């Protein structure tokens, strides 16, 4: 299954809540605190909502507010379990720390190399 990362105001993408490619319905919200504009996308498959910063939020405009997702695809079904654990952790931590995610992706790659019988170099 192809992964379409969540994208602001896109008509469809892979839902960050149910992981199904689905049409999205967009609604504008106004939050009282400092007039922050939040836009809500409702998944037509699961009915759950994701929340995005609206176009009037200069540096945050169009960024996903909730749920926090990295946009990294889910692992392929044939990924070895010992690699999958680190991969999923890296995927989950990416919105919080790109450096932590990079370290975990590197570890996952090292484990994959070992699994495939190739000795990874330490640099
Ligand atoms: Zn959904």
């Amino acid at each position: 299954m192809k992964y379409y990362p969540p994208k602001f105001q896109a008509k469809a993408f892979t839902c960050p809540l149910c992981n199904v490619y689905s049409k999205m319905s967009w609604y504008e919200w106004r939050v009282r605190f400092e007039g922050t504009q939040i836009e809500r996308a409702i998944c037509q498959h699961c009915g759950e909502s994701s929340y995005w910063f609206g176009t009037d939020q200069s540096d945050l405009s169009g960024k996903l507010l909730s749920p926090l997702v990295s946009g990294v695809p889910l692992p392929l079904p044939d990924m070895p379990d010992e690699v999958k654990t680190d991969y999923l952790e890296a995927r989950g931590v990416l919105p919080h720390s790109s450096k932590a995610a990079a370290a975990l992706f590197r570890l996952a790659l090292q484990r994959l190399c070992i699994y495939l019988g190739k000795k990874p170099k330490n640099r």
Side-chain angles (χ1 to χ4, degrees), residues 7-13 21-26 42 44:
K7 187 176 175 186
F8 185 57
Q9 293 183 336
K11 291 181 180 176
F13 51 76
Y21 179 75
S22 173
K23 286 185 178 179
M24 299 288 160
S25 299
W26 288 88
I42 300 176
Q44 296 303 299

Side-chain angles (χ1 to χ4, degrees), residues 15 17-18 43 45-46:
C15 174
L17 297 151
C18 68
C43 172
H45 179 76
C46 69

Side-chain angles (χ1 to χ4, degrees), residues 1-118:
M1 178 175 61
K2 187 165 179 172
Y3 179 78
Y4 297 88
K7 187 176 175 186
F8 185 57
Q9 293 183 336
K11 291 181 180 176
F13 51 76
T14 302
C15 174
L17 297 151
C18 68
N19 290 315
V20 171
Y21 179 75
S22 173
K23 286 185 178 179
M24 299 288 160
S25 299
W26 288 88
Y27 301 93
E28 185 177 304
W29 277 17
R30 287 251 176 227
V31 178
R32 281 187 181 180
F33 182 72
E34 296 183 8
T36 302
Q37 180 188 342
I38 304 292
E39 294 200 26
R40 176 182 179 199
I42 300 176
C43 172
Q44 296 303 299
H45 179 76
C46 69
E48 297 292 326
S49 300
S50 57
Y51 299 91
W52 302 70
F53 285 105
T55 52
D56 65 341
Q57 309 299 313
S58 59
D59 56 334
L60 294 173
S61 182
K63 292 194 175 179
L64 184 58
L65 175 63
S66 173
L68 279 178
V69 292
S70 62
V72 176
L74 289 168
L76 294 175
D78 58 349
M79 183 181 284
D81 287 341
E82 61 266 35
V83 176
K84 196 178 293 183
T85 302
D86 294 325
Y87 181 89
L88 287 171
E89 188 173 348
R91 182 179 185 268
V93 79
L94 183 59
H96 305 284
S97 170
S98 57
K99 290 177 185 173
L104 286 163
F105 279 127
R106 184 179 187 278
L107 181 60
L109 183 59
Q110 259 184 316
R111 291 189 199 281
L112 181 62
C113 289
I114 291 168
Y115 177 84
L116 295 173
K118 297 179 181 177

